[in-house]
Amino acid sequence: MSDPRAWEMRVFLRVAARGSFSAAGRDVGMTPSSTAKLIGRLEERLGVRLVERSTRKLRLTAEGDLSRERAEALLGEVDALDA
């Protein structure tokens, strides 16, 4: 996929699924810092906080949970079109 927004959504979905920037970053070949910065840029662009950060775990906000649902649906449609 060449659209950077699709990549951001995929990374966001890994963060949501794994509950950490480190684990998600490993899954997609990024450092934890790069993963956190990508999510921060996504949040800034959307104007909402998607992830509540703590020292041990990440948790989706209500907006993050809605964004996760919509990203899953959108990317599912894109993947279906590619297939």
Side-chain angles (χ1 to χ4, degrees):
M1 284 198 170
S2 59
D3 188 338
R5 293 172 300 175
W7 173 247
E8 288 175 341
M9 283 190 277
R10 289 191 189 282
V11 173
F12 169 66
L13 290 176
R14 291 310 308 153
V15 168
R18 298 295 300 260
S20 86
F21 293 132
S22 297
R26 279 192 303 273
D27 288 352
V28 298
M30 296 173 62
T31 65
S33 175
S34 295
T35 305
K37 287 177 184 176
L38 182 146
I39 299 301
R41 287 190 305 271
L42 177 60
E43 290 175 326
E44 187 174 311
R45 191 179 83 238
L46 297 176
V48 296
R49 174 74 68 182
L50 300 172
V51 178
E52 287 295 329
R53 296 141 172 93
S54 74
T55 56
R56 294 186 182 240
K57 189 119 172 131
L58 302 177
R59 182 179 68 77
L60 294 183
T61 62
E63 294 86 357
D65 195 45
L66 178 60
S67 294
R68 180 192 50 77
E69 290 175 8
R70 296 196 67 198
E72 287 173 345
L74 284 168
L75 291 175
E77 289 295 320
V78 169
D79 291 343
L81 282 171
D82 283 346

